[in-house]
Amino acid sequence: MGASSILPDLGTEILIPVCAVIGIAFSLVQWILVSRVKLSPGRDSGASGNSGAAGKNGYADYLIEEEEGLNDHNVVVKCAEIQNAISEGATSFLFTEYQYVGIFMVAFAILIFLFLGSVEGFSMKSQPCTYDLSRMCKPALATAALSTLSFLLGAVTSVVSGFLGMKIATYANARTTLEARKGVGKAFITAFRSGAVMGFLLAANGLLVLYIAINVFKLYYGDDWGGLFEAITGYGLGGSSMALFGRVGGGIYTKAADVGADLVGKVERNIPEDDPRNPAVIADNVGDNVGDIAGMGSDLFGSYAESSCAALVVASISSFGMNHELTPMLYPLIISSVGIIVCLITTLFATDFFEIKAVDEIEPSLKRQLIISTVLMTIGIGVVSWIALPPSFTIYNFGDQKLVKNWQLFLCVAVGLWAGLIIGFVTEYYTSNAYSPVQDVADSCRTGAATNVIFGLALGYKSCIIPIFAIAISIFISFSFAAMYGIAVAALGMLSTIATGLAIDAYGPISDNAGGIAEMAGMSHRIRERTDALDAAGNTTAAIGKGFAIGSAALVSLALFGAFVSRAAISTVDVLTPKVFIGLLVGAMLPYWFSAMTMKSVGSAALKMVEEVRRQFNTIPGLMEGTSKPDYATCVKISTDASIKEMIPPGALVMLTPLIVGIFFGVETLSGVLAGSLVSGVQIAISASNTGGAWDNAKKYIEAGASDHARALGPKGSDPHKAAVIGDTIGDPLKDTSGPSLNILIKLMAVESLVFAPFFATHGGLLFKIF
């Protein structure tokens, strides 16, 4: 393997941190642009913001301002108040959540250290390397200590990502509402920019922290790259375990409030969504931020960290690691760095190159983001594969080395990238009310809630078909070319445009909140129509984001599974051995058990919420007339308490299963459990999120009344509309609690098994050893 890569090692060492810093700088610039929208009433609040646009259409802007009553101080003050309430609620919930999660983090870190340290009885002596017995490597105790450290690093980065995302979203929601007075384009740009802040911060932080960790660990490990990257896998475990609690806790919080607010407000009392008389309305808006933003941020960060870790682990025992070629070794990180630059260019297309003038341009503009970033990224990957990889090299493939060419690796990444785009568009087709699937679901509401539920479930099951084929084809192609490494980089390819993916994803909850604030501040009907249009597009992009998260989770967990099988020294996983088959069965059952727990948690929390909202409507005099204020704080407290209490059992199920199976039944059974949970989890996750998204948009379709068909189904409050609201309410926990948390379940069990693999391989399978 004499030929080396074109890009020198020094180039790599400069390129990765520079791209990360550019990403962080870009997100700060976007944040400064968003903060120019003032939240304090002042005559020049409108004028200062558009000094740039004054030459182009300043006059028109001025007319609109007058017409919309921009000088209405009360509205601005009210928006600021509501934003403050939402921000405080979200911050206090996250702090409460992080206290509980912090205790867990410390406990689990100790567990990692004890389990991995005990592999060689806590000895400090160098050991023969796992894959090359002729050389000596660092002791298991060192790997234990550094795995623990990288676990904590990953956990903290994940928590910070989620928290910053939430802060930005609560900062931007009222600003989007105020911009909506000047037209839909202005509001769109504000919401989209704030989403971009989160996307770029997260992608760049994840990359930078991982890069620094690798360099610091290298000071200790020196030439032992196998041990180095084994210790780095803790980073992925930390990222995902925090994401699990963020997703489940946030998901239970947001849906308890949402279901409670909808059932009593819309169905029983016939008041509109986000009406300030509804006591659960603040809790509902807080929930959007802690569930969809903080949870989603941590989740995608976890995926990103794990796919990088899986690729690095396999690479470290391939020719890159054996020959200590730094640039090809860090190929996964170089892809992510180029991804940040590509997404930066893509974002400018939405905010600066094209202006949105009408409501029906919103969704195409968001879809353009996906297409542009994918096309540009394909070129980027081609260049990177050409300069950062030697012309041919070998990849570890279950015990032997497989010869791979650099163009084959390019195809692996590209196939993942395009599979992500396909999954995104199929999700959009099944969840957007511009297409027939959702319109059919809306149509079925004519005959009541039962038919709506039947149609919605069928739609969700049907929407699995194409994404599963896309995942299957990308797995087959990437595995044929480059074994498990191919699958790991395919997952990275899917996540390489993560900054854009997160931007259009975070855009959803921000515009949802903006609509809520407009309603609560009592703004005019026209403004509410604009924010509704932003929100309906946001619903679809949120579904696309979930599609990406699920698709990448499937690839990531398969890559981690491959790394685990290599590390645990299993040559083949044979389905016909009883040990493995019972694992498969139990693994396939776990997503159902997990979903049952999360659904029931949402149900019981929503029950408390409904009772509280009813109590307030019945006992507070003048609440329905709007003369007295509801008690928002009690509802926020119900959601907080319920979610903190209820996130523990599902979390424990996911975190303890691999440990119990590995210790008592050994690595073969555990490999069965991982395969089973992957295969069944992906299906439930896709169908649950798409069913929920379709019901939500069917309801929006009827409410908007944009076509003759939609108008025939009713104004708000008609029987078909009530049936649609019931469907939407059933879909809430499916699309925002169970569905999105399942992709963390599949990844987390795999990465945890990988981290503990050395322990399971030496001490696991107690029950079979006894017999």
Side-chain angles (χ1 to χ4, degrees), residues 107-119:
F108 204 75
I110 295 167
L111 200 68
I112 294 177
F113 182 71
L114 293 178
F115 274 26
L116 292 181
S118 69
V119 171

Side-chain angles (χ1 to χ4, degrees), residues 98-440:
Y98 294 155
Q99 281 167 5
Y100 285 87
V101 169
I103 299 167
F104 157 81
M105 243 166 62
V106 174
F108 204 75
I110 295 167
L111 200 68
I112 294 177
F113 182 71
L114 293 178
F115 274 26
L116 292 181
S118 69
V119 171
E120 282 145 14
F122 295 101
S123 87
M124 300 288 285
K125 286 193 279 299
S126 291
Q127 302 291 336
C129 297
T130 317
Y131 300 99
D132 178 7
L133 298 175
S134 61
R135 290 178 40 232
M136 296 301 278
C137 284
K138 300 291 181 188
L141 192 64
T143 305
L146 290 170
S147 290
T148 310
L149 182 64
S150 62
F151 167 75
L152 292 170
L153 256 183
V156 170
T157 312
S158 183
V159 162
V160 169
S161 304
F163 186 74
L164 285 176
M166 183 281 303
K167 272 303 201 203
I168 291 152
T170 51
Y171 181 82
N173 50 19
R175 287 176 165 77
T176 306
T177 311
L178 293 176
E179 287 290 272
R181 296 179 306 180
K182 299 179 197 161
V184 79
K186 289 274 200 300
F188 170 78
I189 287 181
T190 303
F192 186 80
R193 278 205 168 120
S194 338
V197 176
M198 176 187 178
F200 283 94
L201 262 185
L202 196 135
N205 273 343
L207 178 66
L208 197 58
V209 175
L210 182 58
Y211 179 72
I212 292 170
I214 291 173
N215 278 316
V216 171
F217 285 15
K218 200 152 55 184
L219 297 176
Y220 171 76
Y221 276 104
D223 277 350
D224 172 18
W225 284 15
L228 164 66
F229 290 105
E230 198 168 292
I232 288 284
T233 48
Y235 184 70
L237 177 62
S240 257
S241 48
M242 293 309 102
L244 175 73
F245 291 108
R247 247 324 184 183
V248 175
I252 293 169
Y253 185 106
T254 169
K255 290 304 119 179
D258 198 355
V259 171
D262 282 358
L263 282 181
V264 184
K266 282 196 207 164
V267 179
E268 292 177 15
R269 297 277 167 169
N270 263 337
I271 57 176
E273 191 165 6
D274 295 316
D275 190 294
R277 293 170 293 183
N278 195 331
V281 67
I282 294 280
D284 183 5
N285 280 301
V286 170
D288 288 335
N289 292 300
V290 294
D292 291 349
I293 298 234
M296 189 70 184
S298 295
D299 176 6
L300 278 175
F301 165 75
S303 268
Y304 165 74
E306 281 157 347
S307 55
S308 307
C309 291
L312 292 168
V313 167
V314 181
S316 68
I317 50 178
S318 303
S319 67
F320 303 154
M322 304 287 192
N323 309 337
H324 296 100
E325 300 167 354
L326 183 74
T327 300
M329 184 66 220
L330 295 181
Y331 178 68
L333 297 187
I334 300 174
I335 291 181
S336 308
S337 329
V338 172
I340 291 178
I341 305 299
V342 163
C343 291
L344 197 152
I345 298 166
T346 311
T347 303
L348 297 177
F349 275 95
T351 55
D352 298 278
F353 298 156
F354 296 113
E355 221 178 329
I356 286 190
K357 304 259 190 315
V359 168
D360 52 7
E361 291 173 30
I362 300 172
E363 220 166 287
S365 176
L366 291 168
K367 286 201 305 205
R368 261 208 308 271
Q369 286 287 297
L370 286 177
I371 298 170
I372 295 168
S373 62
T374 304
V375 171
L376 290 177
M377 194 62 208
T378 310
I379 302 166
I381 295 166
V383 173
V384 167
S385 306
W386 177 56
I387 63 169
L389 294 171
S392 68
F393 42 89
T394 63
I395 293 289
Y396 182 85
N397 179 22
F398 301 126
D400 50 273
Q401 297 281 347
K402 175 182 169 76
L403 187 70
V404 181
K405 304 257 189 296
N406 58 4
W407 61 267
Q408 292 176 310
L409 212 48
F410 158 69
L411 283 179
C412 293
V413 187
V415 113
L417 178 66
W418 285 90
L421 186 71
I422 291 169
I423 293 173
F425 277 127
V426 170
T427 312
E428 195 236 0
Y429 173 72
Y430 279 108
T431 55
S432 163
N433 50 28
Y435 303 105
S436 61
V438 170
Q439 292 174 6
D440 290 347

Side-chain angles (χ1 to χ4, degrees), residues 667-693:
V667 281
E668 279 97 344
T669 310
L670 181 54
S671 64
V673 169
L674 294 179
S677 67
L678 165 64
V679 166
S680 89
V682 173
Q683 327 288 338
I684 307 177
I686 294 176
S687 63
S689 350
N690 289 351
T691 293

Side-chain angles (χ1 to χ4, degrees), residues 594-611:
F594 180 82
S595 299
M597 283 175 158
T598 49
M599 298 280 286
K600 196 155 186 296
S601 303
V602 172
S604 56
L607 197 72
K608 290 190 190 112
M609 187 66 81
V610 166
E611 282 167 353

